[in-house]
Amino acid sequence: MSKDGEKSGWKEYIWNPRTREFMGRTASSWGLILLFYVVFYIFLAGLFALTMYVMLQTLDDYKPTWQDRLATPGMVIRPKSDETYEIVYDTRNTETWDLYAQALDKFLTPYNNSLQTEKNKECTPDEYFLQEDTGDVKNNPKRSCQFNRTILEACSGINDRYYGYQIGQPCIIIKLNRVIGMLPGKDGQAPFVTCAAKREDTDKIGEMVYFPPNGIFNLMYYPYYGKKAQVNYSQPLVAVKFLNITTNEDVNIECRINATNIPIGSERDKFAGRVSFKLRINTK
Amino acid sequence: MGLHISTIIDGLYFFQIALHAKKGCCKTYSATQNVDYHCTLFQTEHKMSIEEVCRKYQTDIVQGLTNAKAAEYLIRDGPNALTPPPTTPEWVKFCRQLFGGFSVLLWTGAILCFLAYAIQASRSARSHMFDRLSLCLQLYLGIVLTAVVVITGCFSYFQEAKSSKIMESFKNMVPQQALVIREGEKVQINAEEVVGGDLVEVKGGDRIPADIRVVSAHGCKVDNSSLTGESEPQSRSPDCTHDNPLETRNIAFFSTNCVEGTARGIVICTGDNTVMGRIATLTSGLETGKTPIAKEIEHFIHIITGVAVFLGLTFFILAIVLGYSWLEAVIFLIGIIVANVPEGLLATVTVCLTLTAKRMAKKNCLVKNLEAVETLGSTSTICSDKTGTLTQNRMTVAHMWFDNQIHEADTTEDQSGASFDKSSITWISLARVAALCNRAQFKAGQDQLPILKRDVAGDASESALLKCIELSCGSVRAMRDRNKKVAEIPFNSTNKYQLSVHETEDLNDNRYLLVMKGAPERVLECCSTILVQGKEQPLDEELKEAFQNAYMELGGLGERVLGFCHVLLPEDQYPKGFAFDTDDVNFQTKDLCFVGLMSMIDPPRAAVPDAVGKCRSAGIKVIMVTGDHPITAKAIAKGVGIISEGNETVEDIAARLNIPVSQVNPRDAKACVCHGTDLKDLSQDQMDDILRNHTEIVFARTSPQQKLIIVEGCQRLGAIVAVTGDGVNDSPALKKADIGVAMGISGSDVSKQAADMILLDDNFASIVTGVEEGRLIFDNLKKSIAYTLTSNIPEITPFLLFIIVNIPLPLGTITILCIDLGTDMVPAISLAYEAAESDIMKRQPRNPFRDKLVNERLISIAYGQIVTAGFALGGFFAYFVILAENGFLPTTLVGIRLNWDDRSCNDLEDTYGQQWTYEQRKIVEFTCHTAFFVSIVVVQWADVIICKTRRNSVFQQGMRNKILIFGLFEETALAAFLSYCPGMDVALRMYPLKPSWWFCAFPYSFLIFVYDEVRKLLIRRNPGGWVERETYY
């Protein structure tokens, strides 16, 4: 076929005035096929909605069906810089560390003593704060224990607004990810955090202080009953203050949770039960 | 005969013109020059006296060439062999497999992947937006696509290499020998070393080593059938009988066979310059079109590319609107286009075609080109050569007339046919005449072979008689021994009879027996009596008329009729020891006793009428194209059903109504016997008219060029043409045809090279098997493609939702590849083993313009209905179930993507308030991928059962396809293996599923099965209804 013929063939395909066909179909043909697809898809959507509805009905409102992927809870540090776990600043340049101080301020606001006393209960330390349901009767809402900002003492930011950053003694706050129903520790032994430098940096890390003492997560903050049942849950924190860390050098630090009943996470997951970060304080 | 051969020359000229018009490139031009040059050479040589020829080649009529001269000529002219057609170098063949057709699509996909990788790599240097894993995936995908193309390329290359190896085994490995006279001595040399001017000697059974000018001959006959299609041997003599070199008796052509007698001649042309060489050269100059399946695949690529680009652009625009950056949008675009590429399909199609090719090879159809497998299936016209394909290619006695009655002889290959009454005394006499007046004899050392299989030295008709007599009366040799031959006058064209004198069997009887056979009218002239029921009766008018009627009737059947008579010479005139002088006939040749007629024909093969009938009911037009005489051609055509019973030609109608041919309305005649000479004068329109308006056509007396015109004519009318043939004269048509079918046993090398398929048993019926397999593979490829495509879209939708509603990616690249190249493969291939749904040989051949391999209905079904219904929804359902059961409800998921994919966010909160590290949630995501993958496998169970049939219910079709059942188990086992095998989490990032997650897709699997059963039910209930028009693919 010649080029011209092809061209007119195309034109005819798009709109054929003789048969009044658009793209090879008449209006009624288009109507019918579109109607079919509309009905078909509405039916499918309905069916999908139905199966989804049935599936959602099988779920528990307070506890997910599976938690096996959360056997080792994750650990996270604050302050957190943009995309990496690196805390790098210059003591002489206020702008570089002020961001961290502000981030910590913001993070710790919910832990202000006033807020905590207002919303949460003072619990008996060193034992789990169990609030079990009695059969089908839900014991809701569940109370939460106070975690007062003052527990963090030197790292609470109350006395030292800059959390020691300014003087090269920065505070890092560590938290353990929430997992519903998790009871860390065993036989009244609370889980605690220890930090250490990675191999070649051992002599650079210097002394550290943990707040609360020994870097423990008190047992009274466990178990967690979930967002819906335990609205005002305050996640326990541990602060680490580096007292005389080597400046002007990268120091790689790893903190890990110590609890007999928390399995060591997989090698692949760098944040399960441990957290690594880099600290570099420039002074010159 | 003369006219017929001259058309070859016309053909050659025609070619020159056609080639000029077509290309006009210098290479063609020089080839033409060659042809012209040698045509002139010819014309001088056959007309030159022998001395002049000798002078020209500086040779000697007795001594031959000197060895020095011969060596010089050999260097000048090159060896005496046909230049093989320019063989494509192996690497070009390999590259063709690597970059042809479907592979282009995959290559494009791979290149796009590398492109996307390059873009992302250069970007990620600046930002961390794209994480390294997804970056590598683009690269992996590119590499996998490349690997797929290369591996399937290698596979089909080796497949074709295998069949070309079988091809090579056809070539005669024993070098042809020639007897030449050089420096006065006879020497056997390799035929390749024969040079122009050589004095050669040929005898019965030899192959002519070059084009030779005959200088002396003794009863020499040559079989030109491979050159002209003429099955009758022609005699050769030193005299120039015609101006046209191709018609004159004094030239014998290269690669034809000398049937009997001896001849001596001077070589005038060698190798490519011979007539045979030039036809072979012309063949290799012809261009052939694409195979139908290649066209279909091209069309399919267009559709797929269209869909891919359309989807890609739509979501490119959408991505821009949603606020993604240009670069991200481009990467999405590439991603979607690549996801649309069905990676596994190329392999599936190749394997399906290979399986069919193997199945066909088992049924004696060797396919040279893999794509040609399907071509036979779409064939709508078969142009079949007569000799050797439709017929047995051996003269056989078909009828006899004696005792005033026509008797039918058994012509079947296995002697299963009816026999006649052999007790008549007349028959015994007739058999005796036929046995004695016969120079043919069986070649030695074949006693254990069945008579019909034995080789005979001698003329075709005499061989036929010999075998006939041997079959019905026992050893002819013994009979001849008992009746010693005393004298003989061999057949010549002036006498038109052959005569011999024998002693009688009865030792007491000293009379001589004179036996004669020949052209019936000549034999009858010599007779005065006739043998009826063993008694001699005077030959009166009544009996003469009976003879005439029988002769006419047998002649009308296209048979070659011979008359037989004998006489016992009176002892008083011819006493024992009488010296019979055959040159100056000194004995009685009149007043003989007529015994009977025997007629011979090359009978059709037993399986052919059935096969032709099958072709007809399959809507395939069978056209006979032969070099033979129209009457013979017509008789065979009627015999095998090419002209079916009750259908008349124009001539038949004219004869029946007793009106001139010109008064018959040509539209009344469905059948047509067209003579080659008429064909020459026809315009293109008239040709089209003949082909269009006659359903049953026989072309007789056709030249190679006319065969080509016929093929082109059919193709012009839109037919897909298969041509069968064995001779060199068929090879241009074989090449031009959509599928050329050569004969494995009788076919010439040139024809095998030109063909796409070879019938190893030379049997036309094998073609029908081929058609059946071809049609089946077309249907099954449709099913395979429908099956493979349905898993294609669900691979894109997850990506689309990932972009649009920002949910975690539901299906990853690795899992997509696991589907396309893993679980989908065996079921897709198993569909190639699916039995036909209905009698595929009862429907019309597919219309190449309308019945496409992949049409919009298939796409609409695959993409619009099955996919969304089963795959996407089933997969998504599993995805949502897993995430919800792990704590991420659908409401939380929407918009979560940025945080979800943020590596530094290790406390991402779920719906319940729990916090997840990056790795923890990624494991859940990959578990979702695995579940999506498993869901697709589950839905594919239903899909493969759906795709099994296009019209029938699966309950009608049954589940007899064992490979398919194996495929079902295999894909399930593979899916389970990928999910549960330890180490898969590291290797492929696939995680074990909880048992309940396997069942997520079950309702959807069931749904699409029911949906499709209903659809097929509606199609069956309302043929031609809306459902069929919109959804039957």
Side-chain angles (χ1 to χ4, degrees):
Chain A
M1 207 193 267
S2 71
K3 276 262 153 132
D4 283 350
E6 239 166 66
K7 210 174 175 184
S8 74
W10 261 105
K11 260 188 192 162
E12 192 133 298
Y13 174 69
I14 289 174
W15 173 247
N16 186 340
R18 269 182 303 111
T19 51
R20 305 189 58 75
E21 281 175 348
F22 172 68
M23 310 265 282
R25 282 175 185 277
T26 58
S28 61
S29 168
W30 272 113
L32 213 53
I33 192 87
L34 288 178
L35 181 74
F36 165 76
Y37 272 106
V38 167
V39 171
F40 184 70
Y41 284 141
I42 287 176
F43 167 72
L44 287 182
L47 193 88
F48 187 68
L50 180 76
T51 48
M52 284 297 281
Y53 177 77
V54 171
M55 183 270 290
L56 291 176
Q57 291 309 302
T58 65
L59 297 181
D60 188 310
D61 281 350
Y62 300 98
K63 199 177 178 197
T65 319
W66 308 105
Q67 286 184 295
D68 47 348
R69 293 294 171 209
L70 294 174
T72 311
M75 266 173 87
V76 178
I77 59 157
R78 289 289 184 274
K80 183 184 142 192
S81 65
D82 270 359
E83 298 213 330
T84 53
Y85 281 81
E86 281 176 15
I87 292 165
V88 181
Y89 69 94
D90 195 324
T91 45
R92 293 161 307 169
N93 189 346
T94 320
E95 275 171 29
T96 54
W97 48 261
D98 195 41
L99 279 173
Y100 294 122
Q102 278 175 26
L104 285 177
D105 272 344
K106 202 177 158 201
F107 176 71
L108 288 174
T109 323
Y111 292 93
N112 283 343
N113 291 15
S114 52
L115 273 172
Q116 288 291 321
T117 38
E118 183 190 317
K119 284 183 181 166
N120 291 344
K121 179 183 181 243
E122 214 169 325
C123 310
T124 332
D126 301 330
E127 58 182 58
Y128 296 126
F129 181 44
L130 297 167
Q131 307 166 72
E132 292 306 309
D133 301 327
T134 45
D136 279 348
V137 186
K138 297 278 184 204
N139 179 17
N140 287 343
K142 297 186 198 306
R143 305 288 312 270
S144 306
C145 296
Q146 289 177 6
F147 186 93
N148 289 324
R149 193 169 172 174
T150 44
I151 295 173
L152 300 178
E153 296 171 42
C155 286
S156 65
I158 296 164
N159 299 325
D160 176 5
R161 277 185 55 212
Y162 303 118
Y163 303 91
Y165 278 77
Q166 182 192 19
I167 51 167
Q169 295 183 334
C171 283
I172 304 290
I173 291 173
I174 296 162
K175 65 186 181 107
L176 194 63
N177 278 353
R178 294 192 294 259
V179 176
I180 292 173
M182 182 179 66
L183 296 170
K186 219 179 184 180
D187 310 325
Q189 175 74 46
F192 62 97
V193 173
T194 49
C195 292
K198 288 197 181 156
R199 238 169 284 146
E200 62 273 24
D201 295 340
T202 33
D203 42 349
K204 296 181 198 158
I205 193 165
E207 276 178 66
M208 289 170 290
V209 197
Y210 297 95
F211 307 104
N214 300 325
I216 59 158
F217 293 111
N218 201 295
L219 293 181
M220 66 179 173
Y221 299 107
Y222 299 97
Y224 173 53
Y225 286 103
K227 201 154 85 176
K228 196 167 176 186
Q230 206 173 8
V231 183
N232 293 321
Y233 181 70
S234 295
Q235 205 169 352
L237 306 171
V238 166
V240 190
K241 194 172 179 69
F242 297 91
L243 295 178
N244 53 356
I245 192 163
T246 311
T247 54
N248 300 319
E249 269 183 70
D250 284 354
V251 184
N252 289 299
I253 299 155
E254 188 184 74
C255 297
R256 46 172 71 243
I257 187 81
N258 298 281
T260 42
N261 63 348
I262 292 179
I264 297 167
S266 79
E267 197 50 42
R268 201 183 256 271
D269 194 347
K270 296 276 184 281
F271 299 95
R274 56 184 167 150
V275 60
S276 310
F277 56 94
K278 191 174 91 181
L279 195 55
R280 184 189 177 101
I281 304 163
N282 294 322
T283 52
K284 51 185 178 190
Chain B
M1 198 183 308
L3 277 168
H4 159 220
I5 288 187
S6 72
T7 46
I8 291 181
I9 276 283
D10 296 343
L12 295 181
Y13 285 123
F14 168 83
F15 261 105
Q16 293 153 25
I17 296 159
L19 288 173
H20 266 301
K22 215 167 173 181
K23 295 185 192 160
C25 76
C26 42
K27 197 177 167 194
T28 324
Y29 188 71
S30 67
T32 315
Q33 290 275 305
N34 246 346
V35 172
D36 281 341
Y37 175 62
H38 283 281
C39 281
T40 11
L41 264 189
F42 259 174
Q43 264 156 11
T44 51
E45 269 148 7
H46 66 284
K47 283 190 280 190
M48 275 188 226
S49 71
I50 292 165
E51 289 71 35
E52 279 172 317
V53 177
C54 289
R55 217 172 302 132
K56 183 172 171 198
Y57 288 98
Q58 296 177 317
T59 185
D60 186 275
I61 190 67
V62 184
Q63 300 287 313
L65 282 175
T66 61
N67 282 329
K69 242 323 156 289
E72 184 196 320
Y73 284 158
L74 188 63
I75 290 162
R76 190 190 64 190
D77 299 334
N80 172 34
L82 296 186
T83 320
T87 44
T88 359
E90 289 301 304
W91 67 270
V92 173
K93 276 192 208 161
F94 184 65
C95 286
R96 228 177 259 161
Q97 294 294 348
L98 220 51
F99 300 106
F102 206 83
S103 330
V104 177
L105 194 63
L106 294 192
W107 279 118
T108 318
I111 289 165
L112 285 178
C113 278
F114 291 130
L115 193 70
Y117 172 74
I119 294 174
Q120 290 191 9
S122 66
R123 257 178 72 87
S124 65
R126 280 179 280 125
S127 101
H128 290 273
M129 163 75 200
F130 285 94
D131 94 66
R132 204 158 298 146
L133 183 71
S134 84
L135 192 65
C136 288
L137 279 181
Q138 294 282 5
L139 189 63
Y140 289 159
L141 187 56
I143 293 169
V144 167
L145 284 178
T146 316
V148 168
V149 187
V150 172
I151 291 169
T152 28
C154 291
F155 182 77
S156 30
Y157 170 75
F158 284 119
Q159 199 55 41
E160 293 213 356
K162 229 194 263 169
S163 40
S164 56
K165 235 179 237 161
I166 303 179
M167 271 297 296
E168 256 156 46
S169 70
F170 280 122
K171 284 188 188 155
N172 195 0
M173 281 304 154
V174 185
Q176 202 78 48
Q177 295 288 310
L179 188 67
V180 299
I181 298 160
R182 284 186 185 165
E183 296 184 351
E185 274 176 52
K186 284 189 185 179
V187 274
Q188 279 278 356
I189 59 166
N190 207 322
E192 286 197 0
E193 289 162 24
V194 171
V195 295
D198 256 334
L199 196 58
V200 296
E201 215 164 72
V202 288
K203 58 178 190 308
D206 283 355
R207 207 169 187 208
I208 313 270
D211 283 1
I212 56 174
R213 160 77 158 89
V214 178
V215 293
S216 65
H218 298 283
C220 175
K221 277 190 176 179
V222 290
D223 174 10
N224 275 352
S225 65
S226 76
L227 191 64
T228 62
E230 170 73 32
S231 48
E232 198 96 344
Q234 293 153 26
S235 61
R236 296 286 106 159
S237 65
D239 321 309
C240 173
T241 54
H242 204 286
D243 278 353
N244 189 325
L246 283 163
E247 284 179 52
T248 177
R249 286 250 170 99
N250 60 359
I251 288 178
F253 297 106
F254 175 54
S255 107
T256 58
N257 283 311
C258 178
V259 186
E260 60 177 64
T262 56
R264 187 180 275 213
I266 295 170
V267 174
I268 51 174
C269 281
T270 58
D272 288 335
N273 298 332
T274 57
V275 171
M276 191 69 87
R278 276 177 290 150
I279 294 179
T281 318
L282 289 171
T283 308
S284 60
L286 274 181
E287 277 174 41
T288 46
K290 280 185 186 141
T291 57
I293 194 77
K295 283 184 205 152
E296 289 303 320
I297 285 177
E298 195 171 282
H299 176 247
F300 170 56
I301 291 174
H302 286 165
I303 289 187
I304 277 285
T305 320
V307 171
V309 171
F310 170 74
L311 282 176
L313 284 179
T314 310
F315 286 92
F316 175 76
I317 294 164
L318 204 69
I320 296 285
V321 171
L322 287 171
Y324 287 94
S325 75
W326 278 95
L327 267 167
E328 282 170 301
V330 167
I331 286 164
F332 291 158
L333 172 79
I334 294 176
I336 289 170
I337 292 178
V338 171
N340 254 299
V341 175
E343 293 90 353
L345 204 53
L346 175 61
T348 311
V349 170
T350 313
V351 172
C352 286
L353 289 178
T354 310
L355 287 173
T356 309
K358 283 202 163 158
R359 212 151 43 184
M360 284 168 112
K362 254 187 221 156
K363 294 176 181 172
N364 289 322
C365 293
L366 179 76
V367 182
K368 273 171 67 188
N369 170 7
L370 213 49
E371 282 174 352
V373 167
E374 191 277 327
T375 315
L376 259 189
S378 30
T379 299
S380 53
T381 304
I382 298 176
C383 293
S384 178
D385 185 32
K386 179 180 81 73
T387 315
T389 319
L390 297 173
T391 64
Q392 301 169 16
N393 196 17
R394 95 197 134 79
M395 274 291 173
T396 308
V397 175
H399 292 98
M400 292 163 220
W401 181 78
F402 56 82
D403 293 346
N404 203 357
Q405 201 179 342
I406 291 178
H407 300 266
E408 206 168 308
D410 185 3
T411 54
T412 53
E413 286 129 288
D414 52 358
Q415 287 297 301
S416 57
S419 195
F420 54 93
D421 175 25
K422 287 176 184 163
S423 58
S424 166
I425 302 170
T426 323
W427 160 242
I428 295 167
S429 306
L430 182 61
R432 189 173 60 187
V433 180
L436 297 180
C437 186
N438 190 334
R439 296 172 62 162
Q441 55 189 11
F442 290 112
K443 290 183 181 166
Q446 303 186 89
D447 293 338
Q448 68 286 3
L449 283 177
I451 293 163
L452 286 173
K453 294 259 167 65
R454 291 187 203 165
D455 270 344
V456 180
D459 167 271
S461 350
E462 295 205 323
S463 314
L465 292 173
L466 175 68
K467 283 182 180 173
C468 174
I469 306 302
E470 182 95 8
L471 272 173
S472 45
C473 304
S475 174
V476 171
R477 181 189 291 263
M479 198 189 293
R480 287 186 189 158
D481 286 346
R482 291 195 301 268
N483 300 280
K484 288 226 170 54
K485 193 188 283 179
V486 191
E488 182 177 39
I489 302 177
F491 184 87
N492 68 49
S493 47
T494 31
N495 286 346
K496 291 202 169 146
Y497 63 74
Q498 177 181 356
L499 175 154
S500 57
V501 183
H502 299 260
E503 291 169 4
T504 53
E505 270 177 64
D506 190 350
L507 291 173
N508 303 324
D509 190 350
N510 284 333
R511 288 179 297 178
Y512 285 105
L513 175 68
L514 186 148
V515 288
M516 178 198 268
K517 79 156 191 268
E521 66 278 7
R522 292 302 301 270
V523 172
L524 196 74
E525 278 170 23
C526 305
C527 297
S528 56
T529 56
I530 183 166
L531 202 65
V532 178
Q533 305 292 0
K535 291 189 190 73
E536 248 180 74
Q537 290 182 8
L539 195 60
D540 55 17
E541 282 309 308
E542 197 183 332
L543 281 167
K544 269 189 181 164
E545 199 180 315
F547 160 86
Q548 275 303 335
N549 288 341
Y551 181 29
M552 292 291 288
E553 188 176 341
L554 296 179
L557 291 172
E559 295 172 9
R560 188 190 304 167
V561 191
L562 290 176
F564 297 85
C565 62
H566 68 183
V567 76
L568 280 167
L569 296 174
E571 201 180 351
D572 48 347
Q573 283 178 42
Y574 308 99
K576 197 154 176 77
F578 182 83
F580 291 96
D581 185 350
T582 51
D583 292 327
D584 181 18
V585 179
N586 61 351
F587 50 90
Q588 170 189 4
T589 56
K590 292 282 170 203
D591 293 332
L592 310 177
C593 172
F594 193 82
V595 183
L597 294 170
M598 283 174 108
S599 67
M600 278 141 291
I601 198 161
D602 180 10
R605 286 165 178 273
V608 170
D610 198 33
V612 170
K614 274 188 185 163
C615 284
R616 181 147 301 139
S617 60
I620 300 171
K621 194 166 169 179
V622 184
I623 296 177
M624 184 197 272
V625 184
T626 176
D628 250 350
H629 198 275
I631 295 176
T632 321
K634 190 175 162 190
I636 292 292
K638 283 196 164 165
V640 298
I642 285 178
I643 295 179
S644 50
E645 234 169 281
N647 273 352
E648 292 176 307
T649 62
V650 174
E651 292 78 12
D652 289 337
I653 295 175
R656 179 165 52 87
L657 301 175
N658 217 355
I659 50 172
V661 171
S662 55
Q663 282 180 21
V664 180
N665 179 5
R667 292 286 146 86
D668 291 345
K670 281 200 176 144
C672 168
V673 177
C674 196
H675 198 282
T677 43
D678 302 338
L679 207 57
K680 208 165 51 173
D681 305 327
L682 290 182
S683 70
Q684 191 168 313
D685 289 341
Q686 284 170 313
M687 179 77 190
D688 288 357
D689 207 50
I690 289 180
L691 291 172
R692 204 180 291 126
N693 293 322
H694 295 93
T695 48
E696 300 171 344
I697 310 172
V698 171
F699 290 100
R701 286 275 191 247
T702 46
S703 66
Q705 169 248 338
Q706 286 169 339
K707 288 191 180 189
L708 201 66
I709 292 177
I710 294 165
V711 172
E712 280 172 338
C714 295
Q715 285 175 332
R716 204 165 41 236
L717 296 180
I720 291 181
V721 185
V723 170
T724 70
D726 50 4
V728 174
N729 59 330
D730 299 319
S731 47
L734 286 173
K735 190 84 181 278
K736 184 72 204 171
D738 293 287
I739 178 164
V741 183
M743 298 299 136
I745 303 168
S746 62
S748 54
D749 287 346
V750 179
S751 70
K752 280 178 199 161
Q753 261 150 10
D756 304 297
M757 190 183 269
I758 293 161
L759 296 184
L760 297 175
D761 57 356
D762 285 17
N763 192 346
F764 184 80
S766 306
I767 295 180
V768 178
T769 328
V771 171
E772 203 166 345
E773 290 291 345
R775 289 187 172 190
L776 186 59
I777 195 63
F778 189 79
D779 280 7
N780 286 348
L781 268 184
K782 251 186 186 180
K783 295 173 181 177
S784 249
I785 288 176
Y787 173 80
T788 317
L789 281 187
T790 36
S791 64
N792 210 22
I793 280 272
E795 292 159 6
I796 310 171
T797 38
F799 191 57
L800 300 183
L801 285 183
F802 168 76
I803 297 171
I804 300 169
V805 288
N806 284 318
I807 56 171
L809 190 62
L811 184 64
T813 317
I814 290 179
T815 28
I816 288 179
L817 292 178
C818 284
I819 296 166
D820 283 353
L821 302 174
T823 54
D824 260 8
M825 286 299 254
V826 178
I829 292 166
S830 76
L831 286 171
Y833 287 98
E834 196 56 35
E837 277 178 68
S838 52
D839 195 345
I840 44 177
M841 293 306 279
K842 286 267 157 64
R843 64 174 190 227
Q844 292 295 303
R846 78 184 176 92
N847 180 333
F849 302 108
R850 231 184 27 240
D851 307 330
K852 291 286 182 190
L853 183 64
V854 174
N855 49 31
E856 54 302 344
R857 293 184 296 282
L858 189 147
I859 295 287
S860 141
I861 279 275
Y863 282 5
Q865 294 163 40
I866 308 277
V867 160
T868 16
F871 292 84
L873 295 189
F876 274 109
F877 182 58
Y879 163 83
F880 282 122
V881 166
I882 290 178
L883 282 170
E885 291 193 343
N886 272 291
F888 292 93
L889 295 194
T891 41
T892 320
L893 287 175
V894 174
I896 208 174
R897 181 174 76 85
L898 278 181
N899 284 330
W900 183 279
D901 287 337
D902 180 0
R903 261 177 189 283
S904 67
C905 176
N906 281 300
D907 51 355
L908 186 75
E909 211 172 288
D910 65 17
T911 321
Y912 290 89
Q914 305 189 99
Q915 290 169 318
W916 295 72
T917 67
Y918 176 80
E919 189 62 28
Q920 282 164 348
R921 59 182 188 263
K922 277 290 161 183
I923 289 178
V924 173
E925 184 187 319
F926 288 124
T927 313
C928 287
H929 293 182
T930 315
F932 206 114
F933 160 71
V934 163
S935 301
I936 287 184
V937 169
V938 168
V939 181
Q940 287 286 45
W941 294 343
D943 191 34
V944 75
I945 294 172
I946 285 173
C947 290
K948 256 172 77 74
T949 58
R950 295 189 297 145
R951 181 184 290 270
N952 286 358
S953 160
V954 69
F955 301 107
Q956 294 171 317
Q957 183 84 351
M959 288 291 285
R960 280 185 295 273
N961 186 344
K962 289 200 186 71
I963 311 284
L964 190 138
I965 293 169
F966 165 76
L968 284 176
F969 283 106
E970 185 265 356
E971 70 172 333
T972 315
L974 186 61
F977 172 81
L978 287 175
S979 169
Y980 294 113
C981 177
M984 279 301 163
D985 54 340
V986 183
L988 294 177
R989 302 240 63 182
M990 295 179 86
Y991 288 85
L993 297 183
K994 309 237 181 267
S996 63
W997 293 338
W998 280 77
F999 297 96
C1000 294
F1002 274 55
Y1004 295 94
S1005 188
F1006 183 67
L1007 171 82
I1008 62 162
F1009 177 70
V1010 171
Y1011 170 78
D1012 213 67
E1013 278 296 315
V1014 170
R1015 183 180 69 85
K1016 284 173 196 154
L1017 181 74
L1018 289 176
I1019 288 178
R1020 291 196 302 274
R1021 283 281 160 83
N1022 304 311
W1026 186 80
V1027 181
E1028 173 157 5
R1029 270 182 285 124
E1030 293 294 348
T1031 68
Y1032 182 68
Y1033 55 88

